[in-house]
């Protein structure tokens, strides 16, 4: 009998102790924090200030990219250098008339030789050259590889000019774009690939190797830049045929992409 009573007493004491611990834990949860023992942000208000200032960066990027709306929503040429080719006595009145009708969009000059005109356009000293006296039709000399939109604009402007003379316009493209890159957009996406390669390289190095020595970090960044631009060129060139150039041009393009990617990183 007494043994059973002692066992019951111990069980009762254990139950009371458990209830007391439960009550204390509940009361501790409800107890307001003591002064100075709040959250890290409350103890350090500068954290919030730095976070708010950090939001200025995405705002700056948004403003920067929004400015492209002003540049591209209604683009118009200004001072595009074009030569009218032929004997001065024959082409001077035509050159003056074209310049007056262009209203500043074209910067008209005169050249006597078609050979000189083709060389100047190929070397990008001129955006185009108009040869009104060729047979059977007037000819516009362009280099679409330099700028497809600019070549299209010049062709359109002088197509109208040839139409006023009652002739269709012939096009002589001295620097055509490759067949796989007719719009010239592959160059833009090559730069985008190099941009992302540089940005992601420095992000990943900071995440996986934050204590890496600076010399090793710079070496890895430079190596990744060369590899990224090379892979981007091989995909665009050998893969899709968007780039078609000499060996020297290929090396120059990869080198430019690697330098740009390193600068981004």
């Amino acid at each position: 009998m007494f043994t059973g009573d002692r066992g019951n007493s111990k069980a009762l004491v254990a139950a009371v102790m458990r209830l007391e611990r439960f009550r204390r834990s509940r009361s501790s949860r409800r107890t307001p924090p003591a002064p100075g023992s709040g959250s890290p942000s409350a103890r350090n208000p500068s954290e919030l200030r730095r976070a708010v200032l950090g939001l200025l960066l995405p705002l700056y990027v948004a403003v920067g990219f929004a400015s492209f709306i002003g540049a591209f929503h209604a683009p118009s040429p200004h001072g595009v250098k074009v030569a009218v080719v032929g004997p001065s006595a024959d082409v001077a009145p035509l050159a003056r008339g074209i310049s007056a009708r262009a209203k500043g969009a074209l910067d008209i000059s005169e050249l006597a030789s078609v050979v000189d005109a083709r060389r100047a356009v190929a070397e990008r000293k001129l955006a185009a050259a108009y040869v009104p006296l060729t047979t059977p039709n007037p000819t516009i000399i362009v280099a679409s590889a330099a700028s497809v939109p600019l070549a299209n604009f010049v062709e359109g402007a002088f197509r109208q000019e040839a139409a006023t003379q009652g002739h269709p316009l012939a096009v002589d493209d001295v620097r055509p774009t490759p067949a796989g890159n007719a719009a010239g957009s592959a160059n833009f996406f090559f730069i985008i690939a190099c941009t992302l390669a540089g940005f992601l390289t420095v992000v990943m190095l900071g995440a996986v190797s934050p204590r890496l020595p600076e010399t090793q970090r710079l070496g890895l960044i430079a190596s990744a830049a060369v590899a990224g631009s090379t892979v981007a060129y091989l995909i665009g060139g050998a893969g899709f045929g968007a780039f078609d150039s000499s060996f020297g041009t290929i090396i120059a393009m990869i080198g430019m992409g690697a330098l740009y990617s390193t600068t981004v990183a």
Side-chain angles (χ1 to χ4, degrees):
M1 176 178 178
F2 291 106
T3 302
D5 290 342
R6 285 196 297 271
N8 292 336
S9 298
K10 291 180 179 179
L12 180 60
V13 171
V16 170
M17 293 178 66
R18 284 196 296 270
L19 287 173
E20 182 63 18
R21 286 196 299 268
F22 178 75
R23 185 187 66 78
R24 288 178 180 177
S25 66
R26 292 290 299 274
S27 63
S28 64
R29 294 175 187 172
R30 296 174 182 174
T31 302
S37 63
S39 63
S41 60
R43 293 196 303 268
N44 189 6
S46 63
E47 286 289 330
L48 179 60
R49 190 180 304 114
R50 286 196 295 267
V52 172
L53 290 176
L55 295 178
L56 294 177
L57 177 61
L59 179 62
Y60 170 79
V61 173
V63 171
F65 275 92
S67 64
F68 283 98
I69 299 174
F72 293 112
H73 80 288
S76 58
H78 177 75
V80 178
K81 293 184 178 181
V82 178
V84 179
V85 184
S88 180
D90 296 327
V91 301
L94 178 62
R96 288 193 296 270
I98 294 174
S99 181
R101 290 190 291 273
K103 298 179 180 179
L106 301 176
D107 181 4
I108 302 294
S109 59
E110 298 177 24
L111 279 176
S113 168
V114 174
V115 174
D116 292 340
R118 296 183 88 253
R119 182 184 303 111
V121 173
E123 294 175 354
R124 301 184 65 179
K125 295 178 181 178
L126 292 172
Y130 181 57
V131 190
L133 305 178
T134 52
T135 304
N137 298 315
T139 301
I140 186 73
I141 303 171
V142 297
S144 59
S147 173
V148 173
L150 183 59
N152 290 338
F153 162 74
V154 174
E155 287 180 30
F158 283 92
R159 198 174 300 278
Q160 297 176 1
E161 187 64 36
T164 61
Q165 302 174 24
H167 298 284
L169 181 68
V171 178
D172 179 10
D173 195 341
V174 295
R175 288 286 187 271
T177 57
N181 187 23
S185 58
N187 303 66
F188 170 76
F189 286 104
F190 173 77
I191 292 298
I192 293 296
C194 293
T195 302
L196 293 177
F199 175 74
L200 293 177
T201 295
V202 72
V203 168
M204 289 304 299
L205 286 177
V208 302
S209 302
R211 295 181 177 85
L212 194 68
E214 194 63 26
T215 54
Q216 296 181 14
R217 181 184 301 275
L218 292 175
L220 288 174
I221 288 174
S223 300
V226 173
S229 61
T230 301
V231 169
Y233 186 90
L234 290 176
I235 292 174
F240 297 108
F243 307 122
D244 183 15
S245 303
S246 65
F247 178 76
T249 304
I250 293 172
I251 296 301
M253 189 169 182
I254 292 176
M256 178 202 67
L259 180 61
Y260 174 76
S261 184
T262 302
T263 304
V264 169

